[in-house]
Amino acid sequence: MGLWFGIVVCVNLSLVLALLPCIVLGRPAGFDNKADSESCDYINGEWVYDASLPLYNSSSCPFITTAFDCQKNGRPDKDYLKYQWKPSNCVLPKFNGEDFLERNRGKKIMFVGDSISDNMMVSLACLLHSAVPTSTYTTDATSIHFQDYGVSILYTQSGFLVDLVDQQGSKVLKLDSISTGNKWQGVDMLIFNTYHWWFHTGHLQKWNYFEVEGKLQKDMDRLKALGTAWTTWANWVDTNVDPSKTKVFYQGVATTHQDAREWKDPTATDCRGQTEPIKGSKYPGMSIQGEAVIKSIISKMTKPVYFLDITLLTQLRKDGHPSVYAGGGDDCSHWCVPGAPDAWNQILYAASLGK
């Protein structure tokens, strides 16, 4: 598996509550990993053009929402559909949707998080549908059920993972409380995510106060707040998950491309008009501090969690956003489907194989 080959990660103590300044991420128990000499690092690599892509057309997938369907919304270029993630030191297994369904026959797979989780869920559903296009399915606002295999793909919106409650007319974000975890139990595969909502301000901010240990705060360092919430989530997993019944994944931090200065393009403002990835395997912009924080927290958990490290994959895909083809507005946060999220699910599939 990609991440679990031993990475040294250093964390600034001022950013996170009581985290070690330097830790090593190793393989957790509960996943079938190859020997060190055979392990595959899916984190580092580059996007290469592949004329055989995409694996499906948006017009043939009944699950794509308007916001992710860039082709339906009039995007004129198509090269962004044809880039495959190529790890530096190994071959990423091809996604086999029929095999994925067989391996998960009778199981529930749940994405828990914000709209980036929804983005990944829609991609997975389309990949599976394209593999078994004649298979019967049912769907509602939050789930897709492939009836012939008994596989359910579910999405539970939880933008912060911890509780956001109404309290005396105010929205309170309780950093040390998860009261909705019962919705996550009894599921065979859990894929969690939270990040972007923590850094919103103004009318996009979802809360009025933070609460920690019963004390309200109007504001605090956002990364420190997120680190506290991630620790609460990690404690929930360690307390409530049985690894023999449930596999847990954490969907890493997906990059936004709001500022073209990050990739040294003086002719652009943001992701608008971008038609190809950044070449090579290094992103010229700043690193994302939250990535090191969540890695550190996961490394200290007692239950196995596979970290789907999609940060570099997304940093290099300045071309992969809906931009003005989102059905309204300019979206440099979410991702076109088909597109980059298909590679995230390809890594999810490889991880489920124990590759």
Side-chain angles (χ1 to χ4, degrees), residues 154-192:
L154 309 111
Y155 168 55
T156 297
Q157 186 180 42
S158 182
F160 302 102
L161 299 183
V162 293
D163 293 336
L164 178 65
V165 301
D166 289 311
Q167 195 166 295
Q168 297 181 344
S170 296
K171 294 283 188 179
V172 179
L173 188 53
K174 298 190 172 188
L175 304 183
D176 49 9
S177 174
I178 293 177
S179 62
T180 58
N182 61 306
K183 297 178 181 178
W184 311 340
Q185 294 181 324
V187 177
D188 302 281
M189 184 185 296
L190 286 164
I191 303 105
F192 291 99

Side-chain angles (χ1 to χ4, degrees), residues 91-215:
V91 176
L92 183 60
K94 291 183 178 180
F95 187 92
N96 185 326
E98 190 169 5
D99 180 64
F100 185 97
L101 287 165
E102 285 288 359
R103 287 174 179 272
N104 292 285
R105 183 177 284 275
K107 294 182 178 180
K108 293 180 179 180
I109 300 167
M110 180 181 286
F111 292 84
V112 183
D114 58 24
S115 52
I116 302 298
S117 295
D118 187 28
N119 220 164
M120 185 174 177
M121 174 200 171
V122 169
S123 164
L124 177 61
C126 289
L127 285 165
L128 296 176
H129 180 265
S130 68
V132 290
T134 60
S135 178
T136 56
Y137 65 87
T138 59
T139 183
D140 58 33
T142 60
S143 67
I144 300 162
H145 183 66
F146 290 89
Q147 293 177 296
D148 296 343
Y149 297 87
V151 175
S152 295
I153 313 293
L154 309 111
Y155 168 55
T156 297
Q157 186 180 42
S158 182
F160 302 102
L161 299 183
V162 293
D163 293 336
L164 178 65
V165 301
D166 289 311
Q167 195 166 295
Q168 297 181 344
S170 296
K171 294 283 188 179
V172 179
L173 188 53
K174 298 190 172 188
L175 304 183
D176 49 9
S177 174
I178 293 177
S179 62
T180 58
N182 61 306
K183 297 178 181 178
W184 311 340
Q185 294 181 324
V187 177
D188 302 281
M189 184 185 296
L190 286 164
I191 303 105
F192 291 99
N193 166 63
T194 183
Y195 191 75
H196 294 299
W197 285 19
W198 292 87
F199 302 95
H200 288 167
T201 58
H203 72 281
L204 295 175
Q205 182 175 307
K206 302 290 186 180
W207 70 92
N208 303 111
Y209 296 95
F210 290 113
E211 181 181 297
V212 185
E213 297 180 347
K215 297 180 180 179

Side-chain angles (χ1 to χ4, degrees), residues 227-286:
T228 304
W230 269 331
T231 300
T232 301
W233 162 81
N235 290 337
W236 184 93
V237 172
D238 282 343
T239 302
N240 293 280
V241 168
D242 180 350
S244 68
K245 298 178 180 179
T246 303
K247 285 190 174 181
V248 179
F249 296 80
Y250 190 86
Q251 181 186 355
V253 181
T255 308
T256 63
H257 290 94
Q258 308 285 0
D259 188 352
R261 291 175 296 183
E262 289 188 3
W263 59 90
K264 311 297 191 283
D265 186 350
T267 67
T269 302
D270 55 19
C271 70
R272 284 174 291 178
Q274 301 299 313
T275 59
E276 62 181 14
I278 294 169
K279 299 186 187 309
S281 58
K282 292 185 178 181
Y283 185 63
M286 295 179 62

